[in-house]
Amino acid sequence: LLEQERPSFLPLPRQRFEARRIEPVQANSLSLVRFDTNDYSVPTAYAHQEVVIKGYVDRVAVICRGEQIAVHPRSYEREDFIANPLHYLALLEQKPRALDQAAPLDGWVLAEPMHRIRRLMEARSGKEGRREFIQVLRLCERFEQSLVEWAVAHALDLGAISFDAVKM
């Protein structure tokens, strides 16, 4: 029967089929978008903006004006909160006192030198030291976290406790 029906089959499409669902949404004031009862973070610069969510089997991608601004592993739980700590660092730089209470940073595992440089920066400069530590964390937006942690450890070995030293 297959051979009899084969001539009536349509040709396969030239492009690969992407198993995904697309939904236009608006990011809320907390820089979150909702997809299938779960909240996913986007960078704070995109709060209140119209975005498109592409829900794949294994991931959720968020697109704004044709640019992919966030990708998260897809959660099949209900009312889950999936956040990337890097999305909130720009806001924390303006509000450094919120660093310890920021829920998106709760599960972020940092190497011991990162905690040590924070203590030293805050002991030296207080609130400004905390802001400087957030600048160090923001280096993870441009570089791999392991590289930033290595740079922090190297700066500590040299006794250079500043954002500029870590950046260099």
Side-chain angles (χ1 to χ4, degrees), residues 38-79:
N38 297 316
D39 291 327
Y40 297 88
S41 70
V42 296
T44 55
Y46 296 95
H48 303 290
Q49 303 236 357
E50 294 291 328
V51 297
V52 174
I53 298 177
K54 292 184 178 181
Y56 297 90
V57 174
D58 61 338
R59 69 191 184 284
V60 172
V62 184
I63 314 296
C64 185
R65 293 184 290 278
E67 176 189 358
Q68 182 171 288
I69 59 170
V71 177
H72 295 281
R74 184 167 178 181
S75 172
Y76 286 94
E77 300 295 321
R78 295 190 55 74
E79 307 300 325

Side-chain angles (χ1 to χ4, degrees), residues 113 116-117 120-121 124 132 150-167:
R116 198 163 86 228
I117 201 166
L120 293 169
M121 286 177 165
R124 183 184 67 203
E132 191 173 14
W150 174 86
V152 166
H154 191 63
L156 287 171
D157 289 344
L158 296 173
I161 302 161
S162 71
F163 164 72
D164 291 329
V166 174
K167 186 176 176 183

Side-chain angles (χ1 to χ4, degrees), residues 57-135:
V57 174
D58 61 338
R59 69 191 184 284
V60 172
V62 184
I63 314 296
C64 185
R65 293 184 290 278
E67 176 189 358
Q68 182 171 288
I69 59 170
V71 177
H72 295 281
R74 184 167 178 181
S75 172
Y76 286 94
E77 300 295 321
R78 295 190 55 74
E79 307 300 325
D80 208 358
F81 171 62
I82 300 91
N84 180 342
L86 300 179
H87 292 165
Y88 295 93
L89 293 178
L91 180 62
L92 284 174
E93 193 170 19
Q94 297 169 10
K95 300 179 180 207
R97 285 185 161 177
L99 181 62
D100 293 325
Q101 291 81 31
L105 276 58
D106 281 348
W108 196 10
V109 178
L110 297 170
E112 192 279 327
M114 298 291 277
H115 298 289
R116 198 163 86 228
I117 201 166
R118 177 184 176 183
R119 286 190 304 271
L120 293 169
M121 286 177 165
E122 287 180 2
R124 183 184 67 203
S125 304
K127 181 180 174 182
E128 287 305 312
R130 185 175 297 156
R131 183 172 280 124
E132 191 173 14
F133 175 68
I134 294 169
Q135 289 177 326

